[in-house]
Coordinates of all heavy atoms in Angstrom, one line a residue:
M6 N 108.6 147.6 96.8 CA 108.1 146.6 96.0 C 107.0 145.9 96.8 O 107.3 145.3 97.9 CB 109.0 145.7 95.4 CG 108.4 144.6 94.4 SD 109.8 143.8 93.6 CE 108.8 142.8 92.6
P7 N 105.7 145.8 96.4 CA 104.7 145.0 97.2 C 105.0 143.6 97.4 O 105.6 142.9 96.5 CB 103.4 145.2 96.5 CG 103.8 146.0 95.2 CD 105.2 146.3 95.2
N8 N 104.7 143.1 98.5 CA 105.0 141.7 98.8 C 103.6 140.8 98.6 O 102.7 141.0 99.3 CB 105.3 141.5 100.3 CG 105.6 140.0 100.6 OD1 105.4 139.2 99.9 ND2 106.0 139.9 101.9
A9 N 103.6 140.0 97.6 CA 102.5 139.3 97.1 C 101.9 138.4 98.1 O 100.8 138.1 98.3 CB 102.8 138.6 95.8
T10 N 102.8 137.9 99.0 CA 102.4 136.9 100.1 C 101.7 137.7 101.2 O 101.0 137.0 102.0 CB 103.5 136.1 100.6 OG1 104.6 137.1 101.3 CG2 104.3 135.3 99.6
A11 N 101.7 139.0 101.2 CA 101.1 139.7 102.2 C 99.7 140.0 101.9 O 98.8 140.6 102.6 CB 101.7 141.1 102.4
F12 N 99.2 139.7 100.6 CA 97.8 139.9 100.1 C 96.9 139.1 101.1 O 97.1 137.9 101.3 CB 97.7 139.4 98.7 CG 96.5 139.8 98.2 CD1 96.2 141.1 97.6 CD2 95.4 138.8 98.0 CE1 95.0 141.4 97.0 CE2 94.2 139.2 97.3 CZ 93.9 140.5 96.9
P13 N 95.9 139.7 101.6 CA 95.0 139.0 102.5 C 94.2 137.8 101.8 O 93.8 138.0 100.7 CB 93.9 140.1 102.9 CG 94.0 141.1 101.9 CD 95.4 141.1 101.3
P14 N 94.1 136.8 102.5 CA 93.4 135.6 101.8 C 91.9 135.9 101.5 O 91.2 136.6 102.2 CB 93.5 134.5 102.9 CG 93.7 135.2 104.2 CD 94.4 136.5 103.9
L15 N 91.4 135.5 100.5 CA 90.1 135.8 99.9 C 89.1 135.0 100.8 O 88.0 135.5 101.0 CB 89.8 135.3 98.5 CG 90.6 136.2 97.4 CD1 90.5 135.5 96.0 CD2 90.1 137.6 97.4
W16 N 89.4 133.8 101.1 CA 88.5 133.0 102.0 C 89.3 132.5 103.3 O 89.8 131.5 103.4 CB 88.1 131.7 101.1 CG 87.6 132.1 99.8 CD1 86.3 132.6 99.5 CD2 88.2 132.1 98.4 NE1 86.1 132.9 98.1 CE2 87.3 132.6 97.6 CE3 89.5 131.6 98.1 CZ2 87.7 132.7 96.2 CZ3 89.7 131.7 96.7 CH2 88.7 132.2 95.7
E17 N 89.1 133.5 104.2 CA 89.7 133.4 105.5 C 89.4 131.9 106.2 O 88.3 131.4 106.1 CB 89.3 134.4 106.4 CG 89.9 134.3 107.8 CD 89.3 135.3 108.7 OE1 88.2 135.9 108.4 OE2 89.9 135.5 109.8
G18 N 90.5 131.3 106.6 CA 90.3 129.9 107.2 C 90.2 128.8 106.4 O 90.1 127.6 106.8
F19 N 90.3 129.0 105.1 CA 90.2 127.9 104.0 C 91.4 128.0 103.2 O 92.0 129.1 102.9 CB 88.9 128.1 103.3 CG 87.7 127.6 104.1 CD1 87.2 128.6 105.1 CD2 87.0 126.5 103.8 CE1 86.1 128.1 105.8 CE2 85.9 126.1 104.5 CZ 85.5 127.0 105.5
S20 N 91.7 126.9 102.5 CA 92.8 126.9 101.6 C 92.2 126.4 100.3 O 91.4 125.5 100.3 CB 94.0 126.2 102.0 OG 93.7 124.8 102.5
V21 N 92.8 126.8 99.2 CA 92.4 126.3 97.7 C 93.1 125.1 97.6 O 94.3 124.9 97.7 CB 92.8 127.4 96.8 CG1 92.5 126.8 95.4 CG2 92.2 128.8 97.0
V22 N 92.3 123.9 97.2 CA 92.9 122.7 96.9 C 92.9 122.4 95.4 O 93.7 121.6 95.0 CB 92.2 121.5 97.7 CG1 92.6 121.6 99.2 CG2 90.7 121.5 97.5
S23 N 92.0 123.1 94.7 CA 92.1 122.9 93.2 C 91.3 124.1 92.6 O 90.5 124.7 93.1 CB 91.5 121.6 92.8 OG 90.1 121.6 93.1
I24 N 91.7 124.4 91.4 CA 91.1 125.4 90.6 C 90.9 124.7 89.2 O 91.9 124.3 88.5 CB 92.0 126.7 90.4 CG1 92.2 127.3 91.7 CG2 91.3 127.6 89.4 CD1 93.1 128.5 91.8
D25 N 89.8 124.8 88.7 CA 89.5 124.2 87.3 C 89.0 125.4 86.5 O 88.0 126.0 86.8 CB 88.3 123.2 87.4 CG 87.9 122.6 86.1 OD1 88.7 123.0 85.1 OD2 87.0 121.7 86.0
S26 N 89.9 125.7 85.4 CA 89.5 126.9 84.6 C 89.1 126.3 83.2 O 89.1 127.2 82.3 CB 90.8 127.8 84.5 OG 91.9 127.0 84.1
E27 N 88.8 125.1 83.1 CA 88.4 124.7 81.7 C 87.0 125.0 81.4 O 86.8 125.1 80.2 CB 88.5 123.0 81.8 CG 89.9 122.5 82.0 CD 90.9 122.8 80.9 OE1 90.6 122.8 79.7 OE2 92.1 123.4 81.3
T28 N 86.3 125.2 82.4 CA 84.9 125.6 82.1 C 84.7 127.1 82.0 O 85.7 127.7 82.4 CB 83.9 125.0 83.2 OG1 84.3 125.5 84.4 CG2 83.9 123.5 83.1
E29 N 83.5 127.7 81.7 CA 83.3 129.1 81.5 C 83.6 129.8 83.0 O 84.3 130.8 83.0 CB 81.9 129.4 81.1 CG 81.6 130.9 80.9 CD 80.3 131.3 81.0 OE1 79.3 130.4 80.9 OE2 80.0 132.5 81.3
A30 N 83.0 129.1 84.0 CA 83.2 129.6 85.3 C 84.4 129.0 85.9 O 84.8 127.8 85.7 CB 82.0 129.3 86.2
L31 N 85.3 129.8 86.7 CA 86.3 129.2 87.5 C 85.8 128.3 88.7 O 84.9 128.7 89.4 CB 87.1 130.3 88.1 CG 88.1 131.1 87.2 CD1 88.7 132.2 88.0 CD2 89.2 130.1 86.6
Q32 N 86.1 127.1 88.8 CA 85.6 126.3 89.8 C 86.8 126.0 90.8 O 87.8 125.5 90.5 CB 85.4 124.7 89.3 CG 84.5 124.8 87.9 CD 83.0 124.8 88.2 OE1 82.6 124.6 89.3 NE2 82.2 125.0 87.2
I33 N 86.5 126.6 92.0 CA 87.6 126.6 93.1 C 87.1 125.7 94.2 O 86.0 126.0 94.8 CB 87.8 128.1 93.5 CG1 88.3 128.9 92.3 CG2 88.8 128.1 94.6 CD1 88.5 130.4 92.6
E34 N 87.9 124.9 94.6 CA 87.6 124.0 95.6 C 88.4 124.4 96.9 O 89.6 124.7 96.9 CB 88.0 122.6 95.3 CG 87.7 121.5 96.3 CD 87.9 120.1 95.9 OE1 88.6 119.9 94.8 OE2 87.7 119.1 96.5
L35 N 87.6 124.5 98.1 CA 88.2 125.1 99.3 C 88.0 124.0 100.4 O 87.0 123.4 100.5 CB 87.6 126.2 99.7 CG 87.6 127.5 98.7 CD1 86.7 128.6 99.2 CD2 89.1 128.0 98.5
R36 N 89.1 124.0 101.3 CA 89.1 123.0 102.5 C 89.3 123.9 103.7 O 90.3 124.8 103.6 CB 89.9 121.8 102.3 CG 89.5 120.8 101.5 CD 90.4 119.5 101.6 NE 90.2 118.6 100.6 CZ 89.0 117.7 100.7 NH1 88.3 117.8 101.6 NH2 88.8 116.9 99.6
P37 N 88.7 123.6 104.7 CA 89.1 124.4 106.0 C 90.4 124.1 106.5 O 90.9 122.9 106.3 CB 88.0 124.0 107.0 CG 87.4 122.6 106.5 CD 87.7 122.7 105.0
D38 N 91.1 125.0 107.0 CA 92.4 124.8 107.6 C 92.2 123.9 108.9 O 91.5 124.3 109.9 CB 93.0 126.1 108.2 CG 94.3 126.0 108.7 OD1 94.9 124.8 109.1 OD2 95.0 127.1 108.9
P39 N 92.7 122.7 108.8 CA 92.5 121.7 110.0 C 93.1 122.2 111.3 O 92.8 121.6 112.3 CB 93.2 120.4 109.5 CG 94.1 120.9 108.5 CD 93.7 122.1 107.8
R40 N 94.1 123.2 111.2 CA 94.8 123.7 112.5 C 93.9 124.7 113.2 O 94.1 125.0 114.4 CB 96.1 124.4 112.1 CG 97.0 123.5 111.5 CD 98.2 124.2 110.8 NE 97.6 125.1 109.8 CZ 98.4 125.9 109.1 NH1 99.7 126.0 109.4 NH2 97.8 126.7 108.2
R41 N 92.7 125.1 112.6 CA 91.8 126.1 113.3 C 90.7 125.2 113.9 O 90.1 124.5 113.2 CB 91.3 127.1 112.3 CG 92.5 128.0 111.8 CD 91.9 128.9 110.7 NE 90.9 129.9 111.2 CZ 90.9 131.1 110.9 NH1 91.7 131.7 110.2 NH2 89.8 131.9 111.3
V42 N 90.4 125.6 115.2 CA 89.3 124.9 115.8 C 88.0 125.6 115.2 O 87.9 126.8 115.2 CB 89.3 125.2 117.3 CG1 88.0 124.7 117.9 CG2 90.5 124.5 118.0
P43 N 87.1 124.8 114.6 CA 85.8 125.4 114.0 C 85.0 126.1 115.0 O 85.0 125.7 116.2 CB 85.3 124.2 113.4 CG 85.7 123.0 114.0 CD 87.1 123.4 114.5
R44 N 84.2 127.1 114.6 CA 83.2 127.7 115.5 C 81.8 127.3 114.8 O 81.6 127.2 113.8 CB 83.3 129.3 115.4 CG 84.5 129.7 116.0 CD 84.8 131.3 115.8 NE 85.9 131.8 116.6 CZ 85.8 132.1 117.9 NH1 84.6 132.2 118.6 NH2 86.9 132.5 118.6
C45 N 80.9 127.3 115.9 CA 79.6 126.7 115.6 C 78.9 127.9 114.6 O 79.0 129.0 115.0 CB 78.8 126.6 116.8 SG 77.0 126.4 116.7
G46 N 78.1 127.5 113.7 CA 77.4 128.3 112.8 C 76.2 129.1 113.6 O 75.7 130.0 113.1
G47 N 75.8 128.5 114.6 CA 74.7 129.0 115.4 C 75.1 130.1 116.5 O 74.8 131.3 116.4
C48 N 76.0 129.7 117.4 CA 76.4 130.5 118.5 C 77.8 131.0 118.4 O 78.3 131.9 119.2 CB 76.3 129.7 119.9 SG 77.4 128.3 120.0
Q49 N 78.4 130.5 117.3 CA 79.8 131.0 117.0 C 80.9 130.8 118.0 O 82.0 131.3 118.1 CB 79.9 132.6 116.6 CG 79.1 132.7 115.4 CD 79.2 134.3 114.9 OE1 80.1 135.0 115.2 NE2 78.4 134.7 114.1
Q50 N 80.6 129.8 119.0 CA 81.5 129.5 120.0 C 82.5 128.3 119.5 O 82.1 127.6 118.6 CB 80.8 128.9 121.3 CG 80.0 129.9 122.1 CD 80.8 131.1 122.5 OE1 81.9 130.8 123.1 NE2 80.5 132.3 122.1
P51 N 83.7 128.3 119.9 CA 84.6 127.3 119.4 C 84.0 125.9 119.8 O 83.5 125.6 120.8 CB 85.9 127.4 120.1 CG 85.8 128.9 120.6 CD 84.4 129.1 120.8
C52 N 84.0 125.0 118.9 CA 83.3 123.6 118.9 C 84.3 122.7 118.1 O 84.1 122.5 117.0 CB 82.0 123.6 118.3 SG 81.1 122.2 118.5
P53 N 85.2 122.0 118.9 CA 86.1 121.0 118.2 C 85.4 119.6 117.8 O 86.0 118.8 117.1 CB 87.1 120.7 119.3 CG 86.5 121.0 120.6 CD 85.3 122.1 120.3
A54 N 84.1 119.4 118.3 CA 83.4 118.1 118.0 C 83.0 118.1 116.6 O 81.8 118.6 116.3 CB 82.4 117.8 119.0
V55 N 83.7 117.5 115.6 CA 83.2 117.3 114.2 C 82.3 116.2 114.1 O 82.8 115.1 114.4 CB 84.5 117.4 113.3 CG1 84.0 117.2 111.9 CG2 85.3 118.6 113.4
H56 N 81.1 116.3 113.7 CA 80.2 115.3 113.5 C 80.3 114.7 112.1 O 80.4 113.4 112.0 CB 78.8 115.8 113.6 CG 77.7 114.8 113.3 ND1 77.5 113.7 114.0 CD2 76.7 114.7 112.3 CE1 76.5 113.0 113.6 NE2 76.1 113.6 112.5
E57 N 80.5 115.5 111.1 CA 80.6 115.0 109.8 C 81.1 116.0 108.9 O 81.1 117.2 109.3 CB 79.4 114.4 109.2 CG 78.3 115.4 109.1 CD 76.9 114.7 108.7 OE1 76.8 113.5 108.3 OE2 76.0 115.5 108.7
Y58 N 81.3 115.7 107.5 CA 81.7 116.7 106.6 C 80.7 116.8 105.5 O 80.0 115.8 105.3 CB 83.1 116.3 106.0 CG 84.2 116.4 106.9 CD1 84.4 115.2 107.7 CD2 85.0 117.5 107.1 CE1 85.5 115.3 108.7 CE2 86.0 117.5 107.9 CZ 86.3 116.5 108.8 OH 87.3 116.5 109.7
C59 N 80.5 118.0 105.0 CA 79.5 118.2 103.9 C 80.1 119.1 102.9 O 81.2 119.9 103.1 CB 78.3 118.7 104.5 SG 78.3 120.3 105.1
T60 N 79.5 119.2 101.7 CA 80.0 120.1 100.7 C 78.9 121.0 100.3 O 77.8 120.7 100.0 CB 80.5 119.3 99.5 OG1 81.5 118.3 99.9 CG2 81.1 120.2 98.3
R61 N 79.3 122.3 100.1 CA 78.3 123.4 99.6 C 78.9 124.0 98.3 O 80.1 124.2 98.2 CB 78.2 124.5 100.6 CG 77.6 124.0 101.9 CD 76.1 124.1 101.9 NE 75.5 123.4 103.1 CZ 75.3 124.0 104.3 NH1 75.8 125.2 104.5 NH2 74.7 123.3 105.2
R62 N 77.9 124.3 97.4 CA 78.3 125.0 96.2 C 77.9 126.4 96.4 O 76.7 126.7 96.7 CB 77.8 124.2 95.0 CG 78.4 123.0 94.7 CD 78.0 122.3 93.5 NE 78.4 121.0 93.2 CZ 79.7 120.8 92.8 NH1 80.4 121.8 92.4 NH2 80.1 119.6 92.7
I63 N 78.8 127.4 96.2 CA 78.4 128.7 96.4 C 79.0 129.7 95.2 O 80.0 129.4 94.8 CB 79.2 129.3 97.7 CG1 78.8 128.4 98.9 CG2 79.0 130.7 97.9 CD1 79.6 128.6 100.1
R64 N 78.2 130.5 94.8 CA 78.6 131.5 93.8 C 79.5 132.6 94.5 O 79.0 133.2 95.5 CB 77.5 132.2 93.1 CG 77.0 131.5 91.9 CD 75.9 132.3 91.3 NE 74.8 131.4 90.7 CZ 73.8 131.8 90.1 NH1 73.6 133.1 89.9 NH2 73.1 130.9 89.6
D65 N 80.5 133.1 93.9 CA 81.3 134.1 94.4 C 81.4 135.2 93.5 O 80.9 135.1 92.3 CB 82.8 133.7 94.9 CG 83.3 134.5 96.0 OD1 82.7 135.6 96.4 OD2 84.4 134.1 96.6
L66 N 81.9 136.3 93.9 CA 82.2 137.4 92.9 C 83.1 137.0 91.8 O 84.0 136.2 92.0 CB 82.7 138.6 93.6 CG 81.7 139.2 94.8 CD1 82.5 140.3 95.6 CD2 80.6 139.9 94.1
P67 N 82.9 137.5 90.7 CA 83.7 137.3 89.5 C 85.2 137.6 89.8 O 85.4 138.6 90.5 CB 83.2 138.1 88.3 CG 81.8 138.5 88.8 CD 81.8 138.6 90.2
I68 N 86.2 136.9 89.1 CA 87.5 137.2 89.2 C 88.0 137.5 87.8 O 87.8 136.6 86.9 CB 88.4 136.1 89.8 CG1 88.0 136.0 91.3 CG2 89.9 136.3 89.7 CD1 88.7 134.7 92.0
L69 N 88.5 138.7 87.6 CA 88.9 139.1 86.2 C 87.8 138.9 85.2 O 88.0 138.4 84.2 CB 90.2 138.3 85.8 CG 91.4 138.6 86.7 CD1 92.6 137.6 86.2 CD2 91.8 140.0 86.7
G70 N 86.6 139.2 85.5 CA 85.4 139.0 84.7 C 84.8 137.6 84.5 O 83.9 137.6 83.7
R71 N 85.4 136.6 85.1 CA 85.0 135.3 85.1 C 84.1 134.9 86.2 O 84.5 135.3 87.3 CB 86.2 134.2 84.9 CG 86.8 134.4 83.5 CD 87.9 133.4 83.3 NE 87.4 132.1 83.2 CZ 88.0 131.0 83.0 NH1 89.3 131.1 82.8 NH2 87.4 129.8 82.9
P72 N 82.9 134.3 85.9 CA 82.2 133.8 87.1 C 83.0 132.9 87.9 O 83.8 132.1 87.4 CB 81.0 133.2 86.5 CG 81.2 133.2 85.0 CD 82.5 133.9 84.7
V73 N 82.7 132.8 89.2 CA 83.4 131.9 90.2 C 82.4 131.2 90.9 O 81.3 131.6 91.3 CB 84.1 132.8 91.1 CG1 84.8 132.0 92.3 CG2 85.3 133.6 90.5
R74 N 82.6 129.8 90.9 CA 81.8 128.8 91.7 C 82.7 128.2 92.6 O 83.8 127.6 92.3 CB 81.2 127.8 90.8 CG 80.4 128.3 89.6 CD 79.0 128.9 90.1 NE 78.3 129.2 88.9 CZ 78.2 130.5 88.6 NH1 79.0 131.5 89.2 NH2 77.6 131.0 87.5
L75 N 82.4 128.2 93.9 CA 83.2 127.6 95.0 C 82.5 126.3 95.3 O 81.3 126.1 95.4 CB 83.2 128.5 96.2 CG 83.7 129.9 96.1 CD1 83.6 130.7 97.4 CD2 85.2 130.0 95.6
R76 N 83.4 125.4 95.5 CA 83.1 124.0 96.2 C 83.7 124.0 97.5 O 85.0 123.9 97.6 CB 83.5 122.9 95.2 CG 83.0 121.5 95.7 CD 83.1 120.5 94.6 NE 82.7 119.3 95.0 CZ 83.5 118.3 95.3 NH1 84.8 118.4 95.2 NH2 83.1 117.1 95.8
V77 N 82.9 124.1 98.5 CA 83.5 124.3 99.8 C 83.2 123.2 100.7 O 82.0 122.8 100.8 CB 82.9 125.6 100.6 CG1 83.6 125.8 101.9 CG2 83.0 126.8 99.7
H78 N 84.2 122.5 101.3 CA 84.1 121.5 102.3 C 83.9 122.0 103.6 O 84.9 122.9 104.1 CB 85.3 120.5 102.2 CG 85.5 119.9 100.8 ND1 84.7 118.7 100.4 CD2 86.3 120.3 99.8 CE1 85.1 118.5 99.2 NE2 86.0 119.5 98.7
L79 N 82.7 121.8 104.2 CA 82.5 122.4 105.5 C 82.5 121.2 106.5 O 82.1 120.0 106.2 CB 81.3 123.1 105.6 CG 81.1 124.4 104.8 CD1 79.7 124.8 104.8 CD2 82.1 125.4 105.4
R80 N 82.8 121.6 107.8 CA 82.5 120.6 108.9 C 81.2 120.9 109.6 O 80.7 121.9 109.8 CB 83.7 120.8 109.9 CG 85.1 120.4 109.4 CD 86.2 120.9 110.2 NE 86.3 122.4 110.1 CZ 87.6 123.0 110.5 NH1 88.5 122.3 111.0 NH2 87.6 124.3 110.4
R81 N 80.5 119.8 109.8 CA 79.3 119.8 110.6 C 79.6 119.4 111.9 O 80.2 118.5 112.1 CB 78.2 119.0 110.0 CG 77.5 119.6 108.8 CD 76.4 118.9 108.2 NE 75.3 118.5 109.1 CZ 74.3 119.3 109.5 NH1 74.2 120.4 108.8 NH2 73.4 118.9 110.2
L82 N 79.2 120.3 113.0 CA 79.7 120.1 114.3 C 78.6 119.7 115.2 O 77.4 120.0 114.9 CB 80.1 121.5 114.8 CG 81.2 122.2 113.9 CD1 81.5 123.7 114.3 CD2 82.4 121.5 113.7
A83 N 79.0 119.1 116.3 CA 78.0 118.6 117.3 C 78.1 119.6 118.5 O 78.9 119.5 119.4 CB 78.3 117.2 117.8
C84 N 77.5 120.8 118.3 CA 77.5 121.8 119.4 C 76.7 121.5 120.6 O 75.5 121.1 120.4 CB 77.0 123.1 118.8 SG 77.0 124.5 120.0
S85 N 77.2 121.7 121.8 CA 76.5 121.3 123.0 C 75.3 122.2 123.2 O 74.3 121.8 123.8 CB 77.4 121.4 124.2 OG 77.9 122.7 124.3
G86 N 75.3 123.3 122.6 CA 74.2 124.3 122.8 C 73.3 124.2 121.6 O 71.9 124.4 121.8
C87 N 73.7 124.2 120.5 CA 72.8 124.3 119.3 C 72.5 122.9 118.5 O 71.6 123.0 117.6 CB 73.5 125.1 118.2 SG 74.1 126.7 118.9
G88 N 73.2 121.8 119.0 CA 73.1 120.6 118.2 C 73.9 120.6 117.0 O 75.0 121.1 117.0
R89 N 73.4 120.0 115.9 CA 74.3 119.8 114.8 C 74.2 121.0 113.8 O 73.0 121.3 113.4 CB 73.9 118.5 114.0 CG 74.2 117.3 114.7 CD 73.9 116.0 114.0 NE 74.2 114.9 114.9 CZ 73.6 113.7 114.9 NH1 72.8 113.4 113.7 NH2 74.0 112.8 115.7
R90 N 75.2 121.7 113.7 CA 75.4 122.9 112.8 C 76.6 122.9 112.0 O 77.6 122.3 112.4 CB 75.4 124.1 113.7 CG 74.2 124.5 114.6 CD 73.0 125.0 113.6 NE 71.9 125.5 114.4 CZ 71.5 126.8 114.5 NH1 72.2 127.7 113.9 NH2 70.5 127.0 115.3
A91 N 76.4 123.5 110.8 CA 77.7 123.7 110.0 C 78.5 124.7 110.6 O 78.1 125.6 111.4 CB 77.4 124.2 108.6
E92 N 79.7 124.6 110.4 CA 80.8 125.6 111.0 C 80.5 127.0 110.5 O 80.0 127.2 109.4 CB 82.2 125.2 110.8 CG 82.7 125.3 109.3 CD 84.1 124.8 109.2 OE1 85.0 125.6 109.6 OE2 84.2 123.8 108.6
W93 N 80.8 128.0 111.4 CA 80.7 129.4 111.0 C 81.8 129.8 110.0 O 82.9 129.4 110.2 CB 80.9 130.2 112.3 CG 80.7 131.6 112.1 CD1 79.6 132.4 111.8 CD2 81.8 132.6 112.1 NE1 80.0 133.7 111.7 CE2 81.3 133.9 111.8 CE3 83.2 132.5 112.4 CZ2 82.0 135.1 111.8 CZ3 83.9 133.6 112.2 CH2 83.4 134.9 112.1
V94 N 81.4 130.6 109.0 CA 82.4 131.1 108.0 C 82.3 132.5 108.0 O 81.3 133.1 107.9 CB 82.1 130.4 106.7 CG1 83.0 130.9 105.6 CG2 82.1 128.9 106.7
S95 N 83.5 133.2 108.1 CA 83.5 134.6 108.2 C 83.1 135.3 107.0 O 82.5 136.5 107.1 CB 85.0 135.1 108.7 OG 85.9 134.8 107.6
W96 N 83.4 134.8 105.8 CA 82.9 135.4 104.5 C 81.6 134.9 104.0 O 81.2 135.1 103.0 CB 84.1 135.2 103.6 CG 84.7 133.7 103.6 CD1 85.6 133.3 104.4 CD2 84.3 132.8 102.8 NE1 86.0 132.0 104.1 CE2 85.2 131.6 103.1 CE3 83.3 132.4 101.8 CZ2 84.9 130.3 102.5 CZ3 83.2 131.2 101.2 CH2 84.2 130.2 101.6
Ligands
ZN18 ZN1 76.4 126.4 118.9

């Protein structure tokens, strides 16, 4: 029997904090896992210096035929090499 918890996460490094299915599109809110050290979106080096937080709205692939809109909370980092950059996201 397949183990449902072994299913790979859709949004690596982020966890779902809310899902709103009242609208036509599924609205999914994601927050980064605070236990993971963020990587700079420029050089991709680990960068623990969080400057501020921002929110991005992103369209994702449909789930079960319904459009998906992500509301993603991202950390903006103070990278010593690149300056202020949003964190790197693998997906
Ligand atoms: Zn950098």
Side-chain angles (χ1 to χ4, degrees):
M6 185 171 181
N8 179 355
T10 60
F12 190 78
L15 289 173
W16 303 288
E17 183 188 9
F19 287 74
S20 53
V21 175
V22 290
S23 69
I24 299 176
D25 180 0
S26 60
E27 298 295 310
T28 54
E29 184 202 343
L31 284 175
Q32 313 271 347
I33 301 175
E34 184 176 2
L35 301 169
R36 282 192 191 279
D38 181 347
R40 295 166 300 179
R41 291 171 67 129
V42 175
R44 289 178 176 269
C45 170
C48 63
Q49 296 188 15
Q50 294 301 306
C52 181
V55 177
H56 173 65
E57 62 184 355
Y58 294 84
C59 61
T60 304
R61 296 269 168 84
R62 293 184 181 277
I63 302 169
R64 273 188 212 181
D65 205 348
L66 296 173
I68 294 177
L69 299 175
R71 289 185 70 176
V73 172
R74 303 285 182 268
L75 302 177
R76 184 163 180 257
V77 185
H78 299 277
L79 290 174
R80 294 168 284 196
R81 280 182 56 85
L82 310 173
C84 177
S85 59
C87 307
R89 292 180 186 160
R90 291 286 185 112
E92 67 181 291
W93 179 75
V94 177
S95 64
W96 41 274

